[in-house]
Amino acid sequence: MPVLVVTAVPAERDAVAVACAPAGIDVLAAGAGPAAAAARTAVALERRSAGGRPYGLVVSAGIGGGFAPLAPVGSVAVASEIVAADLGAETPAGPEPFASVSELGFGTTVHLPPEGLSRAVAEAAGAALGPVLTVSTATGTAERAALLAHRHPGALAEAMEGFGVAEAAAACGGVPVLEVRAVSNAVGPRDRAAWRFAEALDALTAAFGRIVPVLDGWRDLDRRQD
């Protein structure tokens, strides 16, 4: 069962490729944001399917912001839910000033990774397991961070690509999807001096060193079922 890992930028791609390339796992840097992630993931999935050996699992991976105290800088988060946190409409009515796409009846805002696999990946990586949010605009204020944490209880992290990857996977035959994020900064006031990119990339590399054997086990199970 071929596996595809999708990151946003080359630095993230290179960080996970250290463990993925020797295992024959493909890694794609698809660009920043949910639209680029969805478009390029869909192309990769369809090309592989047309070649007769479709991907059986897609993993959205990279660095992101963590919600304190659940996901401190340097930690790793694995998604139990991949959530489109700002896809919807502002509304003056009701208890919340925001209605999601699913609440509006226009689609879904949550994708669920395979529960057993996501739990096994989190345990192997020593990572927290919980909702990971996809946003189109990275949070830059304490107020926005508090609002997202209120709307999505237990959220561990935010990033900009997971939901796009999951949408592509769903559209291309319902390919199972995971999301793994190493935390480079706290979600909240934008302070680039406090971001720890190098440490987060190192944590991502280390996490995938422990995750890849789990993915190999998933691939072996798929072969046995075939």
Side-chain angles (χ1 to χ4, degrees), residues 4-108:
L4 174 65
V5 177
V6 181
T7 71
V9 299
E12 295 168 320
R13 177 198 61 204
D14 295 346
V16 300
V18 172
C20 290
I25 294 174
D26 294 337
V27 185
L28 168 69
R40 292 176 182 135
T41 300
V43 169
L45 292 174
E46 288 299 302
R47 284 179 176 170
R48 186 75 185 224
S49 183
R53 193 163 180 256
Y55 287 112
L57 178 69
V58 184
V59 184
S60 177
I63 63 175
F67 286 92
L70 299 178
V73 173
S75 68
V76 176
V78 174
S80 60
E81 303 176 3
I82 301 171
V83 184
D86 56 6
L87 183 60
E90 292 185 342
T91 172
E96 287 282 350
F98 174 81
S100 70
V101 162
S102 59
E103 291 168 331
L104 294 169
F106 296 151
T108 185

Side-chain angles (χ1 to χ4, degrees), residues 64-67 70-71 77 130-134 154-159 179 181-183 187:
F67 286 92
L70 299 178
V132 175
L133 311 184
T134 298
L156 298 176
E158 72 166 27
E179 184 169 9
R181 294 286 165 184
V183 177
V187 177

